[in-house]
Amino acid sequence: IVLFGTFVIDFSPKDWRSKIGPFMLVLFWTACKDLYEDMRRHKDDRKENLRVAKKYNFQTQQFDDVNWCDVLVGDILFVPCDVAFPADLLLLKSARNETAFISTVMLDGETSLKDRATPQIFADHFRGKHFDEVKLQGWPQEQEELAAFAVALMDTGCQVKMGAPNPALADVRGVVSLGLEEEDKAPFPIGEANFLPRGCILRNTPFVLALVVYVGADTKTRLNAIKADLKFSNMQIALNKCINYLLVFIFAVCLYATIMSAAKVFGNQDPPFMPLWMFFRFCIAYYHAVPMSLYVVYEMLKLILGWQISKDEQMVYDDEPAVARTADLMEEMGQVDFIFSDKTGTLTANEMVFARCHIGGKDLGDFRRTGSGVPEGLAAAQSLLAKGGSAGEAVAWYYMCLAACHEVVLEIGAAASSDKP
């Protein structure tokens, strides 16, 4: 309304350039900030889409590199350890016989590994067969067998039917059947135990061979992604309230000035008095009291704060710095007083250290290392084992049960020599 009034030369008390200039500057700055954030999000999306996966080529009988955005339903992919799945997959073959372990922390926040198994129909049909017909230059023998497995699967004939895409993570329905004799074509059910969701990471398994069943917007990850609403920080809400109160005060002053003008307190009445036009003239005259530049400075401070977060050396995890993906809620981080969590693993990273044990009515002491010497509990356990007898036998049985009754997966390789637990 103010900008429109400034274009009426005879009506506006001020030059239109004094109004349109600052207003266009505010709009231009806001547009540049939003463009910068959109370009950064587009860069992240492009980086995700251009990640490389290994797709089996039935013509060359080799695994070729393909971008994630080019993965299609029906492709057979080779996924090595510690690599994310580019689409929703059906497990066909695993390096660990018929089982694979995946991390779903990016999907549901659970840090514990989930086990996945190949459909029993594949295990029954291909059990005991050695696939060594295909030789891939420079590839390990196990990966060569995976390529041969894909050839055997194509020669046998495989048909997979999946249900309509749905966002429920545990609701996976489908059937698979092999092209064998007519009496053996009974479909075998597919469930969550055979499903590898997109975004999850293969862990403690050297590699797997999997079939793509859902891609793009049909994957569980995309179906569970809700459209982000506009978010405003508490400081932004408080600032907007202050501006609203200021506008109400300005309109009240303009209304008062209009009434006083009607009472012939201000100025003469030539040309004839028009209350509505006079009210707009006062609005234009007093509109400079609205601090439009405050929003520009406020947005600049948000960008500077986001840059400082990305450069903060104390906010680094696995050599990856923190990333401020949006500047809208930046200042909210400094206003956090309490953190509520439904599980301790979120805060402790699941790094559990054996502390004490009670065997045969005796507390052996603390097993945690506090210095360079042998912990008290470990020394007591070693002493009882060396002496033998009933006490030593009880200690031996205790640690035998402790070593056998768990779900820990031992991985031998390069990761075993790393500093990570």
Side-chain angles (χ1 to χ4, degrees), residues 85-98:
F85 303 122
D88 287 350
L89 309 175
L90 171 65
L91 181 60
L92 299 179
K93 186 175 177 60
S94 170
R96 289 188 179 276
N97 297 326
E98 303 167 6

Side-chain angles (χ1 to χ4, degrees), residues 312-324:
D312 194 338
E313 296 181 356
Q314 295 182 347
M315 301 178 67
V316 177
Y317 180 76
D318 284 346
D319 297 331
E320 290 291 335
V323 178

Side-chain angles (χ1 to χ4, degrees), residues 201-411:
I201 302 176
L202 184 66
R203 298 293 191 191
N204 293 346
T205 306
F207 46 79
V208 296
L209 195 70
L211 177 69
V212 179
V213 291
Y214 298 117
V215 296
D218 294 336
T219 58
K220 298 288 187 182
T221 304
R222 293 290 300 273
L223 291 174
N224 281 277
I226 59 176
K227 185 178 180 180
D229 298 329
L230 294 177
K231 298 180 180 180
F232 301 95
S233 63
N234 293 329
M235 186 176 295
Q236 181 76 43
I237 296 175
L239 179 61
N240 292 339
K241 287 183 178 180
C242 293
I243 298 299
N244 292 335
Y245 293 149
L246 180 60
L247 290 175
V248 171
F249 175 76
I250 292 176
F251 287 149
V253 172
C254 294
L255 181 61
Y256 172 78
T258 304
I259 295 174
M260 298 306 294
S261 297
K264 301 181 180 180
V265 175
F266 296 115
N268 54 41
Q269 301 305 312
D270 189 23
F273 178 75
M274 300 179 63
L276 182 61
W277 292 137
M278 184 61 66
F279 177 78
F280 283 141
R281 292 188 68 181
F282 281 120
C283 288
I284 296 174
Y286 295 145
Y287 190 70
H288 278 299
V290 178
M292 297 181 61
S293 59
L294 179 61
Y295 282 94
V296 178
V297 176
Y298 183 64
E299 297 294 340
M300 292 178 61
L301 291 177
K302 284 185 176 182
L303 291 179
I304 295 175
L305 183 59
W307 177 80
Q308 289 180 336
I309 289 178
S310 63
K311 298 298 182 181
D312 194 338
E313 296 181 356
Q314 295 182 347
M315 301 178 67
V316 177
Y317 180 76
D318 284 346
D319 297 331
E320 290 291 335
V323 178
R325 301 188 182 278
T326 178
D328 294 334
L329 303 176
M330 195 71 62
E331 65 274 14
E332 294 291 298
M333 296 182 61
Q335 304 176 27
V336 176
D337 294 325
F338 304 97
I339 298 178
F340 295 93
S341 174
D342 61 343
K343 49 184 179 295
T344 59
T346 305
L347 304 178
T348 63
N350 285 333
E351 295 182 5
M352 296 175 286
V353 180
F354 187 81
R356 308 180 78 93
C357 65
H358 196 272
I359 305 175
K362 180 180 180 182
D363 183 6
L364 301 186
D366 198 338
F367 280 75
R368 290 169 289 190
R369 295 183 181 274
T370 57
S372 58
V374 179
E376 174 189 359
L378 180 58
Q382 292 176 345
S383 176
L384 291 175
L385 288 173
K387 293 179 180 179
S390 59
E393 184 178 357
V395 172
W397 272 110
Y398 175 84
Y399 285 104
M400 177 67 73
C401 295
L402 191 64
C405 301
H406 59 72
E407 296 181 355
V408 175
V409 178
L410 179 62
E411 183 176 2

Side-chain angles (χ1 to χ4, degrees), residues 131-168:
F131 305 100
D132 54 1
E133 298 88 352
V134 180
K135 300 296 182 182
L136 299 180
Q137 185 65 30
W139 282 49
Q141 178 65 28
E142 293 84 355
Q143 299 180 14
E144 295 180 4
E145 292 187 2
L146 287 181
F149 175 84
V151 173
L153 186 63
M154 181 184 65
D155 294 339
T156 301
C158 177
Q159 185 180 47
V160 178
K161 296 181 180 180
M162 300 297 297
N166 65 87

